[in-house]
């Protein structure tokens, strides 16, 4: 019984250190030649995969700012946002006063029109 206590304490120490959230790692690159910029974003606004996207900011429930790198001009591009949930909807717009220049503002909401956090992908063609 006494031998199991140190093993248990070591297991708790390892588990505790894994439970601490780490700083966000660099997103996995998207290498598609058919888009100028693209992003795969979690509901919390974490950038998982990206091409020519500098950062994403979750500004409020169901509202996100996606900053596009300077080599892409959003004003002369087509923006497409997709959600994995069929019972959710999205809307995107180019730069706004909230997000700033060369950004895409993404709104996600449910079928009743209430803002909800939702993962999404954005492609800029």
């Amino acid at each position: 019984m006494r031998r199991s206590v140190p093993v248990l304490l070591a297991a708790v120490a390892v588990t505790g250190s894994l439970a601490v959230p780490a700083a966000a790692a660099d997103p996995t690159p998207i290498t598609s030649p058919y888009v100028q910029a693209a992003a795969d974003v979690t509901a919390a606004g974490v950038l998982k995969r990206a091409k020519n996207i500098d950062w994403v900011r979750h500004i409020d429930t169901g509202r996100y700012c996606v900053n596009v790198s300077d080599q892409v001009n959003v004003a002369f591009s087509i923006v497409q946002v997709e959600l994995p949930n069929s019972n959710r909807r999205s809307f995107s717009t180019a730069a706004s006063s909230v997000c700033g220049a060369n950004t895409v503002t993404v709104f996600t909401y449910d079928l009743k029109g209430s803002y909800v956090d939702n993962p999404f992908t954005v492609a800029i063609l």
Side-chain angles (χ1 to χ4, degrees):
M1 187 85 160
R2 289 185 182 206
R3 287 186 182 177
S4 64
V5 171
V7 172
L8 179 62
L9 291 175
V12 168
V14 169
T15 305
S17 66
L18 294 176
V20 175
D26 289 336
T28 303
I30 295 174
T31 57
S32 173
Y34 304 108
V35 296
Q36 296 183 77
D40 186 8
V41 181
T42 69
V46 175
L47 187 58
K48 292 174 25 181
R49 299 182 329 133
K51 176 182 179 180
N52 291 329
I53 301 293
D54 295 332
W55 49 262
V56 175
R57 187 174 40 172
H58 183 224
I59 55 175
D60 202 354
T61 302
R63 298 167 187 100
Y64 306 86
C65 294
V66 179
N67 185 267
V68 182
S69 66
D70 290 336
Q71 57 195 5
V72 177
N73 188 340
V74 176
F76 295 106
S77 302
I78 296 171
V79 177
Q80 180 178 351
V81 176
E82 295 290 332
L83 305 178
N85 308 54
S86 61
N87 63 342
R88 304 275 171 94
R89 300 290 180 254
S90 70
F91 173 78
S92 65
T93 183
S96 70
S97 61
V98 173
C99 292
N102 218 42
T103 61
V104 174
T105 307
V106 176
F107 302 101
T108 59
Y109 48 93
D110 61 19
L111 295 178
K112 295 179 182 177
S114 300
Y115 288 108
V116 292
D117 291 341
N118 204 84
F120 63 92
T121 58
V122 60
I124 300 171
L125 311 171

